[in-house]
């Protein structure tokens, strides 16, 4: 769950062109197809590792490279696909 959340946060950062955005645990649970409690655990873990800051739906990616390390390997493929589609 943590890797999937990290990937989604990175993908959102890439598309929003910002390290800061708003997404509630409820929304993330819906998007990722998991229970809200799973999102809470994963977000808490990423925050403890100082990869993100999270407060009442406000998310800040603090360590982009570290978050890439936490994400599943498919994030790199997503980057390539996104670059090809957008250019």
């Amino acid at each position: 769950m943590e890797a999937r959340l990290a990937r989604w946060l990175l993908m959102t950062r890439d598309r929003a062109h910002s390290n800061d955005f708003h997404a509630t645990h409820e929304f993330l649970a819906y998007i990722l197809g998991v229970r809200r409690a799973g999102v809470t655990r994963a977000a808490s873990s990423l925050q403890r590792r100082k990869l993100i800051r999270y407060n009442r739906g406000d998310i800040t990616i603090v360590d982009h490279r570290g978050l890439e390390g936490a994400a599943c390997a498919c994030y790199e493929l997503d980057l390539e696909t996104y670059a090809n589609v957008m250019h």
Side-chain angles (χ1 to χ4, degrees):
M1 178 59 232
E2 187 176 314
R4 290 176 58 206
L5 177 59
R7 175 181 172 232
W8 189 89
L9 293 173
L10 289 165
M11 290 171 58
T12 300
R13 175 194 177 272
D14 295 344
R15 284 142 186 84
H17 304 286
S18 176
N19 284 321
D20 302 298
F21 44 90
H22 187 83
T24 64
H25 284 196
E26 184 176 344
F27 173 76
L28 292 169
Y30 175 77
I31 290 297
L32 297 172
V34 297
R35 291 185 21 209
R36 188 171 178 256
V39 171
T40 300
R41 282 191 298 275
S44 294
S45 176
L46 294 174
Q47 186 162 261
R48 276 192 307 277
R49 294 169 56 191
K50 300 190 183 331
L51 302 176
I52 66 169
R53 272 195 313 268
Y54 189 91
N55 186 29
R56 294 191 174 265
D58 293 323
I59 300 170
T60 300
I61 296 175
V62 177
D63 180 355
H64 179 260
R65 295 285 178 220
L67 198 57
E68 281 183 11
C72 59
C74 54
Y75 173 66
E76 298 230 3
L77 293 172
D78 291 336
L79 277 179
E80 286 180 33
T81 301
Y82 182 67
N84 289 333
V85 168
M86 296 307 290
H87 293 102

